[in-house]
Amino acid sequence: MYTKLLNKYSLNEAVKIIKKGGVVVFPTETVYGIGARINSNRGVSGIFKAKRRPADNPLIVHVSDKSQVDYLVSDIPDVFYKLVDAFWPGPLTLILKKSEMVSDLVSAGLDTVAIRMPRNTIARNLIKRAGVPICAPSANLSGRPSATKFIHSKPLIGRVNAIIDGQGCEVGLESTVLDITKDVPVLLRKGYVTKEDIESVIGKIEVYKTGDKIISPGLKYKHYSPKTKVIIIRGTEKKILEFYAKQNNAIFVVPPEYKELLKEQRTIKFYETGDDLMGANRVFSLLNELDSKKYDIIFFVDISNNKGVSEAVMDRLYRASNNEIIEL
Ligand code: TXA
Ligand code: MG
């Protein structure tokens, strides 16, 4: 398949392709998405095919306007309006009971649908001009790290009709997913919008734990794994420095407070001091970029003692490492 490479000035072309039922990779503020219009079976099955996604993993429906939600869902709980006022447009996906407008292909046979309104203007203009919501999972081959830069979507060249270059993604981590079909909402995927952020708006929520009954099909699949082995390390800077000295062809990703380690050659700073994204906008670009450098192992120092979005960052890294953790 020929893949057109576009940018924000050639959005017309992307709109035409979406209208015809094609598949387009586009930027959002979280990660790049691979999208088709919700009412094109050809487009939607094209997404599953292009990223080799298992058919039982449902897609997120992206809207450009709150009013589009009305015909996608059969019931709107009160918390919906509070959450939307606080966090949309932005990186929060809400699970609601679906209407018959949402095909089984999109919802993977579930009676619910995931919806979000992206903040990125290219994404929102694309949806607005297509005239219908666009379903889109992250623009990576299934199981691989999400794409947060145009260049990371390269494995999809030849597999989609077009890719829109929107440069880097501001947040760099997939949206927070919250199921609001339950009496007490359940946080299914951690993201930049944290549990505390949500609770400050709607009160107590629950957090999905591995081992609970699976309500989000995506949670059961292997995720975010580069080809290179990823290992999480925990310990004092001194211990990690000693450990570093014993490794040959490994790269270390460390937080900015590890001053001595940062003087070493094979180390990379994880995030900037005082950065409220705590490496969120670096985690996938590091996984994608270091994977092409032929290291034997990528070591990430655990940053989960830090607050805020670092929990979501570590969630992705635990998955990327298959929970391989070394305590020093
Ligand atoms: O930030 C994002 O959310 C990005 C951008 C492109 O918007 N999209 C994204 O999509 O990360 P994807 O498909 O890679 O992840 C969506 C997750 C999957 O784990 C999926 O199983 C879950 O949301 N999901 C989708 N629909 C669901 C539903 N009806 N019930 C429960 N989980 C659902
Ligand atoms: Mg994904």
Side-chain angles (χ1 to χ4, degrees):
M1 183 189 297
Y2 174 68
T3 303
K4 282 190 179 164
L5 300 183
L6 308 171
N7 59 35
K8 64 177 175 188
Y9 303 107
S10 42
L11 216 53
N12 259 344
E13 198 60 38
V15 171
K16 264 193 223 154
I17 296 172
I18 290 278
K19 282 189 170 166
K20 273 197 229 147
V23 177
V24 175
V25 169
F26 62 96
T28 84
E29 75 281 16
T30 57
V31 299
Y32 274 73
I34 168 172
R37 68 183 158 81
I38 187 170
N39 52 358
S40 164
N41 281 347
R42 183 171 81 87
V44 175
S45 33
I47 296 174
F48 283 92
K49 195 163 161 224
K51 66 172 280 172
R52 303 198 188 107
R53 184 180 180 94
D56 66 350
N57 196 357
L59 308 181
I60 296 179
V61 178
H62 295 66
V63 298
S64 57
D65 193 286
K66 260 189 284 186
S67 64
Q68 286 175 321
V69 174
D70 294 343
Y71 72 88
L72 296 171
V73 305
S74 59
D75 179 44
I76 303 193
D78 288 343
V79 287
F80 172 82
Y81 300 100
K82 291 186 186 160
L83 291 165
V84 161
D85 284 346
F87 303 111
W88 278 15
L92 177 68
T93 294
L94 298 169
I95 311 279
L96 293 130
K97 288 274 179 221
K98 77 170 185 124
S99 73
E100 67 253 28
M101 293 300 294
V102 180
S103 69
D104 278 345
L105 206 54
V106 172
S107 71
L110 299 178
D111 61 357
T112 53
V113 59
I115 309 179
R116 95 172 183 98
M117 189 199 292
R119 187 162 65 209
N120 178 289
T121 48
I122 298 179
R124 277 232 306 290
N125 282 335
L126 183 68
I127 304 163
K128 199 185 280 172
R129 290 172 56 184
V132 278
I134 290 182
C135 12
S138 51
N140 49 280
L141 293 175
S142 262
R144 296 282 173 214
S146 297
T148 56
K149 290 181 183 171
F150 174 62
I151 188 172
H152 304 154
S153 67
K154 262 173 105 180
L156 292 169
I157 293 179
R159 307 182 67 84
V160 296
N161 299 107
I163 301 181
I164 307 173
D165 181 356
Q167 298 173 325
C169 301
E170 186 196 336
V171 173
L173 204 62
E174 307 88 346
S175 60
T176 305
V177 178
L178 183 71
D179 183 345
I180 54 170
T181 63
K182 311 271 183 298
D183 286 340
V184 180
V186 185
L187 184 69
L188 297 180
R189 180 170 72 182
K190 292 174 182 167
Y192 181 62
V193 176
T194 62
K195 175 174 187 266
E196 292 70 34
D197 294 337
I198 295 170
E199 288 186 332
S200 72
V201 175
I202 58 166
K204 268 265 166 267
I205 61 168
E206 279 170 14
V207 179
Y208 172 86
K209 285 190 212 67
T210 345
D212 288 359
K213 181 174 167 279
I214 296 216
I215 33 182
S216 191
L219 296 170
K220 68 175 186 249
Y221 292 109
K222 191 167 147 60
H223 259 96
Y224 315 122
S225 307
K227 293 183 200 107
T228 315
K229 193 172 186 49
V230 174
I231 298 179
I232 311 298
I233 40 174
R234 293 179 183 153
T236 58
E237 174 167 21
K238 189 163 163 281
K239 286 259 168 70
I240 295 172
L241 205 55
E242 285 163 16
F243 180 76
Y244 172 90
K246 290 186 217 146
Q247 310 294 322
N248 294 318
N249 190 32
I251 181 95
F252 285 68
V253 184
V254 310
E257 53 274 22
Y258 283 36
K259 296 276 185 301
E260 288 306 311
L261 259 165
L262 281 168
K263 288 183 196 151
E264 301 296 332
Q265 234 189 353
R266 287 174 288 115
T267 43
I268 294 194
K269 211 199 274 186
F270 201 160
Y271 57 89
E272 295 305 321
T273 319
D275 171 10
D276 77 331
L277 283 163
M278 288 283 190
N281 52 7
R282 295 261 284 152
V283 63
F284 286 124
S285 50
L286 286 171
L287 286 173
N288 274 300
E289 278 142 37
L290 296 177
D291 200 22
S292 60
K293 298 249 162 86
K294 307 261 182 292
Y295 290 109
D296 296 333
I297 307 176
I298 308 169
F299 287 107
F300 276 89
V301 172
D302 196 317
I303 59 162
S304 55
N305 288 336
N306 295 312
K307 291 193 200 86
V309 74
S310 71
E311 249 197 85
V313 173
M314 287 314 300
D315 166 77
R316 306 308 191 268
L317 284 175
Y318 291 141
R319 289 167 198 252
S321 71
N322 237 327
N323 282 316
E324 211 172 317
I325 300 166
I326 298 179
E327 307 264 1
L328 295 172

